[in-house]
Amino acid sequence: MEKIKKFADNLKALRKEQGWSQQELALKVRCTQQCISQWENAQIEPTLSSLWMLSEVFEISVDELIGKTDF
């Protein structure tokens, strides 16, 4: 659970850093606002394709997104 929490914290921080709402990010990665909320609250884990999409949107590696390395 700690690993998913790191991803959740990183996602929320990156989104806020960009000044995007959950809805704005959801449109960029082609999912729902509820999905973004569940990711940020560590309720569900993203799929591999979602991780790739998020990493492209934020222009960071998947390793950085999931907290394996610092961004």
Side-chain angles (χ1 to χ4, degrees):
M1 189 62 156
E2 185 177 313
K3 290 179 184 177
I4 188 72
K5 181 71 171 126
K6 182 66 175 166
F7 162 75
D9 291 344
N10 285 349
L11 178 61
K12 189 172 190 174
L14 287 163
R15 178 181 61 78
K16 288 185 175 246
E17 190 176 284
Q18 295 295 320
W20 297 333
S21 67
Q22 289 181 342
Q23 182 62 40
E24 289 170 318
L25 179 56
L27 290 172
K28 293 176 187 301
V29 297
R30 298 183 212 124
C31 70
T32 64
Q33 178 273 325
Q34 291 84 1
C35 185
I36 301 294
S37 176
Q38 289 175 322
W39 287 341
E40 288 186 357
N41 290 300
Q43 294 172 331
I44 62 170
E45 294 182 20
T47 63
L48 182 57
S49 61
S50 294
L51 284 174
W52 278 112
M53 193 87 101
L54 288 165
S55 73
E56 288 180 5
V57 165
F58 291 116
E59 298 179 350
I60 62 173
S61 71
V62 171
D63 281 352
E64 291 168 314
L65 183 60
I66 64 173
K68 192 170 181 180
T69 60
D70 293 332
F71 58 88

